[in-house]
Amino acid sequence: MKVSRELCALIDEGYDIVTPTASCGLMLKFEWALILPGNENVKKLAKATFDIDEYVIDISKRHGLPDGLKPLPEGISVHMACHARAQNMGAKAAEMLRLIPETPIDVIERCAGHGGTFGVMKETHPVAMKVGRPVMRTLVTQARGHIVSDCPLAGKHIVQGAREIAEKDGTPLPAAKAEHPIEVFAHAYGLI
């Protein structure tokens, strides 16, 4: 209750709550309210919470964005994390990244197989890799220079699997790591 109370105090001061990862957004927007349906702070928090990609899109539509976005000609492969899809907000990461001029964007809308601890536990890791193999194979055959996912764990998981497939096939993988969409957006602004 302390978390919802302190976040609601910020909401009362006029702040929005912006979550950096899809799983956090899903929890604050939907899941917590299912666990505590009668809690007014949790309801208030759910209404004031935004996924970071969703927030940037909203700002761009209401106020525009600062000049300075530079093309990323190497392109971006966007994995739509399950937790982002479950928020029913649309493909906000891809929509945000499409604001970057002259940048090819490919969207992969399929489960990475990670599933939290399921993807790292010794007993279930092979199943997680098998579930994610279609995403991983797609990255090996058509990955762009940037591989992004709204879920940092899913991103690492699919890059690990893609790297294993690429090494086995003798195919180079263009991106060495997974990034968050907001990192790539900041890169296009020259901030990182």
Side-chain angles (χ1 to χ4, degrees):
M1 295 315 182
K2 180 181 178 186
V3 171
S4 64
R5 186 172 51 250
E6 289 188 17
L7 289 174
C8 282
L10 292 171
I11 294 166
D12 291 341
E13 291 178 33
Y15 290 95
D16 295 321
I17 306 302
V18 180
T19 61
T21 61
S23 57
C24 295
L26 184 64
M27 181 64 184
L28 293 179
K29 288 170 150 184
F30 299 103
E31 292 176 346
W32 205 359
L34 293 174
I35 296 167
L36 298 171
N39 186 296
E40 293 305 315
N41 281 346
V42 170
K43 290 178 188 177
K44 183 178 195 174
L45 181 57
K47 290 178 184 171
T49 298
F50 302 89
D51 174 88
I52 193 165
D53 306 328
E54 173 186 35
Y55 201 71
V56 170
I57 288 297
D58 185 54
I59 289 170
S60 74
K61 288 178 179 177
R62 289 193 294 134
H63 308 289
L65 293 174
D67 293 335
L69 276 171
K70 303 281 187 249
L72 298 174
E74 64 276 19
I76 306 166
S77 293
V78 182
H79 168 253
M80 296 304 300
C82 298
H83 287 104
R85 290 184 291 164
Q87 291 182 51
N88 297 318
M89 62 182 175
K92 293 302 181 198
E95 187 177 345
M96 179 184 73
L97 294 169
R98 285 188 181 107
L99 296 172
I100 303 170
E102 303 169 36
T103 300
I105 307 287
D106 295 326
V107 177
I108 303 169
E109 196 166 345
R110 190 173 179 134
C111 181
H114 192 274
T117 56
F118 185 83
V120 295
M121 300 296 290
K122 186 177 182 179
E123 320 67 68
T124 53
H125 179 73
V127 176
M129 295 300 278
K130 184 176 182 177
V131 170
R133 196 164 289 125
V135 174
M136 298 162 190
R137 175 70 58 197
T138 299
L139 290 177
V140 171
T141 59
Q142 62 192 46
R144 300 288 185 164
H146 296 275
I147 297 171
V148 303
S149 178
D150 282 309
C151 175
L153 294 175
K156 288 180 181 191
H157 181 75
I158 60 177
V159 168
Q160 173 194 353
R163 187 176 295 118
E164 290 172 7
I165 292 169
E167 288 172 3
K168 184 178 175 188
D169 293 352
T171 308
L173 191 62
K177 65 176 186 152
E179 300 170 275
H180 191 283
I182 202 71
E183 289 179 287
V184 175
F185 201 67
H187 179 70
Y189 266 118
L191 299 172
I192 56 174

